[in-house]
């Protein structure tokens, strides 16, 4: 059985309502993609993007959720609110949240449970720092993050894993083929459900996407900067369709 594939865009803290045009253009250019396509805009754009993409093949996701179902958590967003705004997925444990907000593996696991509770697919991010790679700790770090961030009950239906080396995010640097293959092979054996989609993330662009998608056990990408432009992200979607 071949695994499904997914091209996921993470807009991070970018995008005003005017940028909904990029999402519309993407959907119009890819009316029936042979791979999954997911856009994760900032929370303020979820509801209007859901409206703009109604009837399209592009799915929507949040970029984070709180672990609690509701309550006194000023500024936070519950998983149910993302689902209510039109999301089917939510990114959890992105390295920027781990770094900026001190999120631990246990925090991430709690958020994954909250996502599952309301039927969202959790896109769980893992990745080593450059210092950890240089120290030969990559697989140890990834293994510990996976074990700590993934609650019991993870399946290919409720979870996607994204391997995002911290040093490759937004830097224009990517690991070489063997480095990506090593981590993805490791993850393939480590995930509880072998059919779980494994995405690579970190400086994916139209020029390098095909090479990355040709690596065994890479089922797609989590794309930051290059997902902001419909044309760039569209080329990455096409590369995944051809892979
Ligand atoms: P870039 O594609 O901008 O490097 O970002 C990757 C990322 O962090 C996606 O979540």
């Amino acid at each position: 059985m071949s695994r499904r594939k997914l091209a996921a865009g993470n807009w991070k803290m970018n995008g005003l309502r005017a940028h909904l045009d990029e999402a519309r253009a993407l959907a119009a250019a890819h009316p029936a993609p042979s791979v999954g396509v997911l856009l994760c805009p900032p929370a303020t754009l979820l509801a209007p993007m859901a409206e703009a993409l109604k009837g399209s093949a592009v799915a929507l996701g949040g970029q984070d959720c709180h672990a609690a179902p509701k309550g006194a958590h000023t500024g936070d967003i519950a998983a149910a609110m993302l689902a209510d705004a039109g999301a089917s997925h939510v990114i959890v444990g992105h390295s920027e949240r781990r770094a900026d907000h001190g999120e631990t593996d246990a925090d991430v696991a709690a958020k994954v449970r909250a996502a599952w509770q309301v039927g969202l697919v959790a896109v769980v991010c893992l990745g080593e720092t450059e210092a950890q790679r240089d120290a030969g700790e990559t697989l140890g770090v990834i293994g510990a993050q996976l074990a700590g961030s993934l609650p019991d009950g993870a399946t290919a239906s409720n979870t996607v894993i994204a391997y995002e080396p911290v040093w490759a995010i937004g830097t224009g640097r990517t690991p070489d083929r063997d480095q990506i293959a090593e981590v993805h092979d490791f993850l393939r054996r480590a995930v509880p459900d072998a059919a779980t989609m494994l995405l690579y993330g970190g400086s994916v662009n139209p020029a390098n996407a095909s090479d990355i998608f040709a690596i065994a056990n890479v089922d797609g990408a989590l794309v930051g900067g290059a997902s902001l432009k419909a044309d760039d992200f569209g080329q990455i979607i096409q590369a995944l369709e051809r892979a």
Side-chain angles (χ1 to χ4, degrees):
M1 188 195 79
S2 67
R3 289 181 304 278
R4 291 174 303 140
K5 295 177 178 177
L6 179 64
N10 174 9
W11 280 16
K12 307 190 179 184
M13 199 170 72
N14 299 289
L16 304 175
R17 277 180 296 175
H19 298 99
L20 293 171
D21 286 347
E22 293 294 331
R24 283 191 198 93
L26 184 79
H30 302 274
S34 62
V35 299
V37 178
L38 172 69
L39 277 183
C40 301
T44 48
L45 289 186
L46 267 178
M49 196 179 279
E51 189 62 33
L53 296 180
K54 202 175 269 178
S56 84
V58 180
L60 286 182
Q63 298 178 7
D64 175 54
C65 67
H66 197 277
K70 62 178 179 178
H73 301 287
T74 302
D76 278 312
I77 298 176
M81 296 168 180
L82 299 175
D84 188 51
S88 53
H89 291 64
V90 60
I91 296 169
V92 283
H94 194 283
S95 62
E96 287 153 11
R97 293 207 58 88
R98 291 178 187 259
D100 293 356
H101 301 274
E103 290 187 7
T104 64
D105 291 336
D107 294 331
V108 176
K111 291 175 180 218
V112 173
R113 274 190 224 98
W116 292 349
Q117 206 86 50
V118 299
L120 295 179
V121 175
V123 180
V124 182
C125 301
L126 316 167
E128 82 285 3
T129 64
E130 186 157 34
Q132 289 166 334
R133 174 163 286 279
D134 289 346
E137 296 168 359
T138 298
L139 294 186
V141 167
I142 300 294
Q145 286 179 344
L146 185 72
S149 305
L150 211 55
D152 288 344
T155 69
S157 303
N158 64 19
T159 302
V160 174
I161 304 291
Y163 167 53
E164 299 205 309
V166 176
W167 52 274
I169 294 176
T171 59
R173 296 167 59 204
T174 52
D176 65 32
R177 293 178 60 91
D178 291 346
Q179 290 172 323
I180 296 177
E182 180 186 37
V183 174
H184 279 246
D185 290 351
F186 172 80
L187 285 170
R188 178 68 62 216
R189 289 192 299 272
V191 286
D193 179 349
T196 304
M197 279 192 283
L198 304 178
L199 310 184
Y200 167 78
S203 296
V204 176
N205 61 43
N208 64 19
S210 291
D211 285 345
I212 290 170
F213 296 148
I215 300 170
N217 288 313
V218 174
D219 305 314
L222 181 54
V223 184
S227 72
L228 292 168
K229 291 272 174 244
D231 187 44
D232 288 348
F233 194 40
Q235 291 182 53
I236 292 169
I237 292 166
Q238 287 171 340
L240 186 59
E241 288 181 310
R242 285 193 304 265

